[in-house]
Amino acid sequence: MTADPTAPPTEPSLERDGKRLHPVTPWRRAWAPLAGLFAVGLNNAENIRSWTTSLGLGWLAALLVALMLCGAGYGFLSWRVTRYLVTDTELRIRTGLLFRRTAHLRLDRIQSIDVTRPLLARAVGVAKLKMDVVGSGDSDELAYLGESEATALRAELLARAAGIDPLAAPSAGEAPARRVAAVPTPVLAKALALESLSGGWALLLVAGIALPVTLYVLGAGLFVALTVALPMLAGVWGGTLGRFLTQYGWTVSESPDGLRLDHGLLQRDHATVPPGRVQSVRIVEPLLWRRQGWVRVELSVAGEGNESGLLVPVAGRAQAGELIGRILPEVDIDKTMASITAVPRRSRWAVPVWRHGYGHGVTDAVFVARAGRLSRRYTLVPHAKVQSVRMTQGPWEQRLGLADIHVDHGANGTATARLRDAAEAAREVAAQADRSRLGRRNAAPERWLTR
C-alpha cells in the first residue's frame, strides 16, 4: 500500500519520528545509587564497622551489585522514553520516566549550542549537546549522543537557526572556521597566578589548611576539621587549578555560525556564540594584570550563553578589542574607553575610597559603565539590547545631588553607572531611552543569514 500523494503532510511526531540518545546513556545513572550509599556511610561513619560485621562481605557485595543494577535499570527505562526531534521550526525533547517533560525549543530563539566532552565520555566516544534559548532559565541538553552525531546535529540546528533552507540544513555540515585567537599555556598560568594573588586565594589556601589543623589539634575531631576544610579548599581549587584545567588550550575561531570557543584539558568544551545574540560585554582588568596589559573579556547572552561566560580568559588590550569588534562591529574600544568620565568630586562623601573606580560613558553604539578599584570592570551594553533604563537615589545621594543610572539588558543583567550628577543622570536616562528605541528599530533580524 502506497501513501496518497494528494494527502496533506502529517505533523512530525516524537513517538514515530523521534530519535533516541546513545545506548551508553543508561550507564551514566548506574553510579547514582553508589553515590547515595557513600553519602549515607559518610554521615554514619561510626556505624560502618558494625554494619559490615553484621552483613558480611558477601551480602555487602550483593547489595552493591543490586543497587548498581537498579540504577542501570532506571537509566535504561529513562533512555527508552527520552527522544528528540528536529522540525522546521523547533527542537522537541521528551524526557522523564515517571514525570514526563516535553520541551519545545524554537530554533530562531537559540542563543548558543555547546558540545561538551567529559573525560569518561571522550573515552567511549560520546558527547553532550547543550542549548540555551531566550526566555528559558535552564539549559536543555541531550546527553549523550555519539560524537559525530552531536557535531552533525549541532551544525543542523545552527543552520536552521541561521535561516538556511530546512531541506538543505541537515546536510549543511560543520561550517568552516578560522582561528583568530589562542591563549598560550604559560600566559594563562601566569595570569591565573597573578589574579589568585590579588584575589586573596593564597590567603584562603593558608586558612583552609591552618584552621582545620588547629581545630583537630584542639580536639574538635576529624569530622569537624574536614567540614571546615573541604569548602575552603574547594573554593581555592575552583579559583585556581580548576580554572586552569577548564581554560587550558583556549582558542577562538570565527565561522559563519558565530565565534567558536574550544577549551579544556580533562573536559573539552566546544561552544558557539551566534552573531547578534550578545547582550553585553564585560572587560575585566585585575590589578596585577595592568602592567602586563592583559584583560579578560566576558559575554552575557540571553539564557546562560556559553557555560563559562567567557570570550577569552586573558588577552592583550589590542587583541581583546579586535575580538570584541567581531561580535559588535560597530564598537570602537578606544573610542568607548575615551568616552568614560569620572564621577563628581563631591561623591567622596558617599564612597570615599572606591569612587575612583566608577565612571560612565556613551558612544553611538554602546552604553558603558566602569566599576571596581582593584579589579576594574567595564560593562558595555549595545543600545539595541537595552531593555529598560532607570535612575535611583538613596537618601545620602539625594543630599549630595547624586544618582545611579541602571541599564538592564536581555540577559537579565544590569550595567550601573554609580554616583552621577543627578541632573546629568536624569538627562541621560531620557537620552538612553531614545537611543535604545532607535537601536532596536535598526537592529538586524534574529536569523543572521537573512540579514
Side-chain angles (χ1 to χ4, degrees):
M1 182 177 178
T2 59
D4 183 1
T6 62
T10 57
E11 178 71 15
S13 166
L14 267 171
E15 191 64 39
R16 185 184 63 249
D17 307 311
K19 297 180 180 179
R20 287 200 174 99
L21 302 178
H22 194 278
V24 79
T25 302
W27 293 101
R28 70 170 180 153
R29 299 182 186 278
W31 63 270
L34 294 181
L37 191 62
F38 177 76
V40 171
L42 187 64
N43 290 327
N44 299 274
E46 65 279 4
N47 299 322
I48 289 181
R49 183 182 296 274
S50 62
W51 292 351
T52 304
T53 304
S54 60
L55 284 177
L57 291 179
W59 281 106
L60 186 60
L63 176 62
L64 293 177
V65 171
L67 285 174
M68 289 190 65
L69 290 177
C70 288
Y74 178 78
F76 175 76
L77 294 176
S78 298
W79 172 78
R80 287 277 300 175
V81 301
T82 301
R83 291 172 181 264
Y84 71 93
L85 174 68
V86 182
T87 70
D88 292 346
T89 59
E90 63 185 17
L91 169 66
R92 301 174 188 170
I93 305 174
R94 188 184 66 188
T95 58
L97 178 61
L98 301 178
F99 300 93
R100 292 284 176 86
R101 174 180 182 268
T102 303
H104 295 250
L105 311 181
R106 280 181 50 185
L107 299 179
D108 60 346
R109 306 300 286 171
I110 288 179
Q111 296 295 308
S112 63
I113 303 176
D114 300 346
V115 176
T116 302
R117 298 180 177 91
L119 185 61
L120 291 179
R122 289 162 64 186
V124 295
V126 297
K128 180 192 301 182
L129 202 66
K130 189 174 70 174
M131 287 74 60
D132 287 298
V133 183
V134 175
S136 176
D138 299 323
S139 299
D140 286 278
E141 64 180 29
L142 293 172
Y144 287 91
L145 300 172
E147 286 190 356
S148 58
E149 184 182 5
T151 303
L153 180 58
R154 172 186 164 279
E156 180 183 351
L157 293 176
L158 287 173
R160 290 176 182 271
I164 287 182
D165 188 317
L167 295 177
S171 58
E174 189 90 7
R178 182 175 65 89
R179 179 177 294 187
V180 294
V183 180
T185 301
V187 172
L188 177 64
K190 183 177 180 180
L192 291 178
L194 292 175
E195 189 174 10
S196 298
L197 292 175
S198 60
W201 293 112
L203 294 177
L204 185 59
L205 176 61
V206 172
I209 297 175
L211 185 58
V213 170
T214 304
L215 290 174
Y216 183 74
V217 170
L218 293 177
L222 181 61
F223 182 77
V224 174
L226 289 176
T227 303
V228 174
L230 289 179
M232 300 176 74
L233 295 180
V236 174
W237 170 269
T240 54
L241 292 178
R243 285 178 62 187
F244 177 80
L245 296 176
T246 301
Q247 298 171 1
Y248 177 86
W250 193 285
T251 62
V252 182
S253 304
E254 187 178 48
S255 78
D257 301 334
L259 288 182
R260 295 181 185 171
L261 312 176
D262 292 275
H263 57 93
L265 180 59
L266 300 181
Q267 172 176 306
R268 290 296 294 174
D269 289 328
H270 177 87
T272 300
V273 182
R277 305 299 176 87
V278 175
Q279 305 296 310
S280 75
V281 173
R282 190 161 71 162
I283 302 171
V284 182
E285 192 179 45
L287 177 64
L288 298 183
W289 287 16
R290 294 176 195 168
R291 292 189 61 182
Q292 310 292 333
W294 293 340
V295 297
R296 178 172 64 247
V297 183
E298 302 173 352
L299 302 178
S300 293
V301 297
E304 292 297 327
N306 63 85
E307 187 171 354
S308 61
L310 283 179
L311 174 61
V312 62
V314 56
R317 295 173 188 272
Q319 187 179 42
E322 181 184 349
L323 291 175
I324 293 173
R326 295 177 185 277
I327 295 176
L328 305 174
E330 66 279 9
V331 174
D332 184 314
I333 288 298
D334 293 334
K335 183 179 178 182
T336 301
M337 295 301 177
S339 71
I340 298 175
T341 58
V343 297
R345 183 176 172 77
R346 62 180 181 279
S347 64
R348 67 184 184 279
W349 302 112
V351 183
V353 177
W354 303 106
R355 70 183 181 88
H356 295 288
Y358 295 126
H360 159 249
V362 174
T363 68
D364 294 338
V366 293
F367 173 97
V368 56
R370 185 185 67 193
R373 185 73 184 274
L374 298 179
S375 180
R376 288 178 185 160
R377 302 178 299 280
Y378 303 84
T379 305
L380 285 62
V381 184
H383 297 316
K385 304 300 182 183
V386 174
Q387 300 296 312
S388 65
V389 56
R390 51 202 161 83
M391 183 181 82
T392 61
Q393 282 182 294
W396 193 237
E397 287 179 312
Q398 293 182 42
R399 187 176 181 83
L400 295 172
L402 301 172
D404 298 338
I405 305 172
H406 305 272
V407 170
D408 303 315
H409 55 74
N412 295 324
T414 301
T416 301
R418 290 207 59 195
L419 304 177
R420 309 305 303 180
D421 177 82
E424 175 206 351
R427 292 193 300 272
E428 182 59 30
V429 167
Q432 183 60 46
D434 290 337
R435 286 192 290 265
S436 303
R437 185 170 57 254
L438 291 175
R440 286 192 293 272
R441 184 182 302 170
N442 299 325
E446 294 289 340
R447 293 196 164 197
W448 57 94
L449 287 189
T450 62
R451 293 172 183 172

